[in-house]
């Protein structure tokens, strides 16, 4: 708009200047003359300024202007009108462009938000990439380890291949052995068939033997039953024998002193010694009060006597049966100790009596040590 206004002002000024020059005295002829001289190439010094001021086209326009200024003005007016239309159009375009710019501004603001978001995303992705890089580094280390392991495994595999080759050889060998064994087994099967036949035969034999055995068992059982009866009879006999034997359980043994110690004798007359410290008295045939043994049944009896004493006085005892002497035990020493013993087997009838006599003027000694003893027992009974 401003440009157009300026152009219009310029045109007005130009028209005024031209008017002024026309009014200033130069007539048409003078001007034509001047123009002609210019066309002839002879430039007089006073026209140099003019020639410098305008180009050849300008000179032509000049010529047109001079010829029809009003036409030019009309043209200009038309141009101005045209330009006004253009200006309106431009104004509309500018308004439109402003709208576009506003829209673009909105779009830019929006894009900035998007860019910010993208920047955040990128930052985040960078973190992820850093993590991934660390993971990749780690994986590389793992890969290195795996490579080493693979190398080891490859070595092992190579080794195993060798082993497998060896095993294959062994297997081939074993196959040969198996073939041999199969042959042996076939052979053995034949043997087994033969043995089976033999076994079948033997079974028949065994069956026959079993029958015979059963017959024999029956016989043996019968015999056993007979023997059992005999045994029962024998057992009954044993019970009787045991009862008899219990009657024959006769044995005794005793020493003189029941307690303390001391000398017995010497006495002016012979006495029967009473052995009061009883060790055993099975069957109660010995009487420790009287010192007399009475035979409960007829039999062979064994009697023994031992004595002990001190020197200075003789020690003499006899084993008497029913008032008769049988054996003597005797010792005599001037000093120190003395000792003697004797024994006898006697056949006694039921009621016969046996005892020990200390002779007159003799002395024996006894103590807790049981030096002086009298013993007797039944050897076996007699009918
Ligand atoms: C067993 O004893 C009874 C009667 O004493 C007698 O009949 C039987 O024959 C005896 N048995 C034998 C096997 O001696
Ligand atoms: C038994 O007496 C004799 C002498 O007659 C003597 O030599 C012996 O030592 C005595 N024995 C005991 C155990 O006293
Ligand atoms: C003598 O006999 C008594 C009674 O049986 C016994 O306690 C004691 O030990 C015996 N003495 C010896 C030395 O055997």
């Amino acid at each position: 708009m401003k440009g157009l206004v300026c152009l219009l002002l310029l045109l007005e000024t130009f028209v005024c200047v031209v008017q002024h020059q026309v009014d200033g005295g130069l007539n048409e002829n003078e001007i034509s003359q001047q123009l002609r001289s210019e066309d002839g190439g002879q430039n007089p010094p006073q026209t140099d300024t003019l020639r410098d001021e305008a180009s050849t086209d300008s000179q032509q326009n000049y010529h047109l202007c001079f010829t029809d200024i009003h036409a030019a003005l009309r043209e200009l007016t038309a141009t101005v009108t045209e330009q006004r239309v253009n200006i309106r159009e431009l104004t509309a375009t500018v308004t439109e462009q402003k709208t576009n710019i506003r829209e673009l501004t909105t779009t830019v603001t929006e894009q900035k938000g998007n860019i910010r978001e993208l920047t955040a995303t990128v930052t985040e992705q960078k973190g992820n990439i850093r993590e991934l890089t660390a993971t990749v580094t780690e994986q590389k280390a793992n890969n290195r380890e795996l490579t080493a392991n693979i190398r080891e495994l490859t070595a092992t595999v190579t080794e195993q291949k060798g082993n497998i080759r060896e095993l294959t050889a062994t297997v081939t060998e074993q196959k040969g052995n198996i073939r041999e064994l199969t042959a042996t087994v076939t052979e053995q099967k034949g043997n087994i068939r033969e043995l089976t036949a033999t076994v079948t035969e033997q079974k028949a034999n065994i069956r026959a033997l079993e029958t015979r055995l059963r017959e024999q068992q029956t016989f043996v059982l019968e015999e056993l039953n007979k023997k059992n009866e005999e045994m029962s009879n024998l057992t009954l006999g044993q019970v009787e024998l045991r009862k008899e034997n219990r009657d024959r359980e006769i044995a005794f043994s005793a020493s003189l002193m029941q307690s303390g110690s001391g000398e017995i004798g010497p006495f002016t007359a012979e006495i029967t010694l009473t052995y009061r410290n009883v060790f055993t008295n099975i069957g109660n045939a010995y009487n420790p009060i009287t010192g007399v043994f009475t035979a409960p049944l007829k039999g062979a009896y064994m009697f023994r006597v031992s004595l002990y004493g001190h020197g200075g006085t003789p020690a003499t005892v006899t084993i008497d049966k029913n008032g008769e002497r049988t054996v003597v035990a005797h010792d005599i020493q001037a000093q120190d100790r003395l000792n003697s013993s004797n024994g006898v087997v006697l056949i006694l009838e039921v009621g016969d009596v046996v005892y020990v006599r200390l002779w007159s003027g003799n002395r024996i000694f006894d103590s807790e040590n049981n030096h002086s003893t009298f013993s007797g027992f039944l050897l076996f009974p007699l009918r």
Side-chain angles (χ1 to χ4, degrees):
M1 277 288 270
K2 276 179 187 173
L4 276 170
V5 171
C6 287
L7 190 64
L8 284 171
L9 284 171
L10 202 66
L11 275 169
E12 269 176 25
T13 313
F14 178 69
V15 171
C16 286
V17 168
V18 170
Q19 206 101 51
H20 182 67
Q21 279 188 344
V22 171
D23 296 342
L26 272 176
N27 57 39
E28 243 177 287
N29 290 333
E30 284 174 325
I31 294 164
S32 298
Q33 199 182 354
Q34 197 174 346
L35 284 168
R36 253 180 268 126
S37 68
E38 280 172 11
D39 288 338
Q42 292 287 324
N43 297 325
Q46 65 259 44
T47 59
D48 277 0
T49 312
L50 263 176
R51 214 188 57 172
D52 286 346
E53 280 174 0
S55 68
T56 314
D57 288 341
S58 300
Q59 280 170 3
Q60 280 172 357
N61 286 338
Y62 245 87
H63 188 250
L64 278 172
C65 280
F66 283 124
T67 52
D68 198 351
I69 287 165
H70 291 283
L73 276 172
R74 244 175 272 125
E75 241 178 81
L76 276 169
T77 308
T79 309
V80 164
T81 311
E82 203 184 322
Q83 288 304 321
R84 273 186 189 150
V85 172
N86 289 347
I87 284 160
R88 242 175 266 124
E89 276 177 32
L90 279 167
T91 308
T93 310
V94 163
T95 310
E96 202 183 322
Q97 289 305 324
K98 274 181 181 171
T99 311
N100 290 348
I101 284 162
R102 240 175 268 120
E103 277 177 34
L104 280 167
T105 309
T106 312
T107 312
V108 163
T109 310
E110 203 182 322
Q111 290 304 326
K112 273 180 183 172
N114 291 347
I115 285 162
R116 241 174 267 119
E117 275 177 38
L118 281 169
T119 309
T121 312
V122 164
T123 309
E124 200 182 324
Q125 290 304 326
K126 273 180 183 172
N128 292 347
I129 285 163
R130 241 174 267 120
E131 274 178 39
L132 280 168
T133 309
T135 312
V136 164
T137 310
E138 203 180 319
Q139 289 301 326
K140 274 181 184 171
N142 291 348
N143 278 351
R144 246 174 265 124
E145 263 178 54
L146 280 169
T147 309
N149 291 346
I150 285 163
R151 235 176 271 125
E152 263 178 53
L153 280 168
T154 309
T156 312
V157 164
T158 310
E159 202 181 327
Q160 291 302 327
K161 274 181 183 170
N163 294 345
I164 286 164
R165 242 175 266 122
E166 277 176 37
L167 281 169
T168 309
T170 311
V171 163
T172 310
E173 201 183 328
Q174 291 303 326
K175 274 180 182 171
N177 294 345
I178 285 164
R179 244 174 263 120
E180 278 175 35
L181 282 168
T182 309
T184 311
V185 163
T186 310
E187 202 181 325
Q188 292 302 326
K189 274 180 182 171
N191 294 345
I192 285 164
R193 245 175 261 119
E194 279 175 34
L195 281 169
T196 310
T198 311
V199 164
T200 310
E201 202 182 324
Q202 292 301 326
K203 273 181 182 171
N205 292 347
I206 286 165
R207 246 176 260 118
L209 280 169
E210 275 176 348
T211 311
R212 216 181 295 163
L213 193 69
R214 235 174 272 123
E215 283 169 5
Q216 282 185 2
Q217 272 176 347
T218 312
F219 174 75
V220 166
L221 268 175
E222 280 168 18
E223 287 296 303
L224 268 173
N225 283 341
K226 248 183 255 171
K227 291 278 172 204
N228 262 343
E229 204 183 324
E230 274 175 37
M231 289 278 280
S232 306
N233 285 0
L234 276 172
T235 309
L236 280 170
Q238 273 179 342
V239 170
E240 271 172 50
L241 270 173
R242 219 173 277 155
K243 201 173 152 223
E244 251 178 67
N245 271 345
R246 210 169 292 133
D247 295 338
R248 295 173 190 176
E249 286 165 4
I250 299 153
F252 79 96
S253 189
S255 66
L256 276 173
M257 293 288 189
Q258 208 166 18
S259 61
S261 60
E263 306 280 356
I264 296 168
F267 301 110
T268 48
E270 192 179 300
I271 60 152
T272 298
L273 287 169
T274 52
Y275 294 85
R276 297 187 185 276
N277 180 37
V278 175
F279 297 109
T280 47
N281 194 9
I282 298 164
N284 281 311
Y286 172 70
N287 186 340
I289 308 296
T290 58
V292 174
F293 173 84
T294 307
L297 54 92
K298 182 183 176 183
Y301 292 84
M302 169 78 194
F303 294 96
R304 266 189 54 82
V305 73
S306 287
L307 64 83
Y308 182 82
H310 295 117
T313 307
T316 309
V317 299
T318 54
I319 295 173
D320 285 14
K321 171 195 161 186
N322 299 331
E324 288 171 17
R325 306 244 186 260
T326 57
V327 291
V328 171
H330 166 79
D331 195 8
I332 182 164
Q333 295 290 333
Q335 54 196 22
D336 290 335
R337 300 154 299 177
L338 50 82
N339 62 80
S340 181
S341 75
N342 212 337
V344 63
V345 173
L346 297 172
I347 306 297
L348 299 182
E349 297 289 336
V350 175
D352 283 353
V353 288
V354 178
Y355 42 88
V356 177
R357 302 284 282 174
L358 173 69
W359 286 8
S360 61
N362 282 250
R363 181 182 70 177
I364 60 171
F365 172 84
D366 203 11
S367 69
E368 297 86 349
N369 288 327
N370 316 316
H371 293 283
S372 300
T373 60
F374 174 42
S375 304
F377 50 89
L378 173 70
L379 281 172
F380 46 84
L382 293 171
R383 288 169 204 279

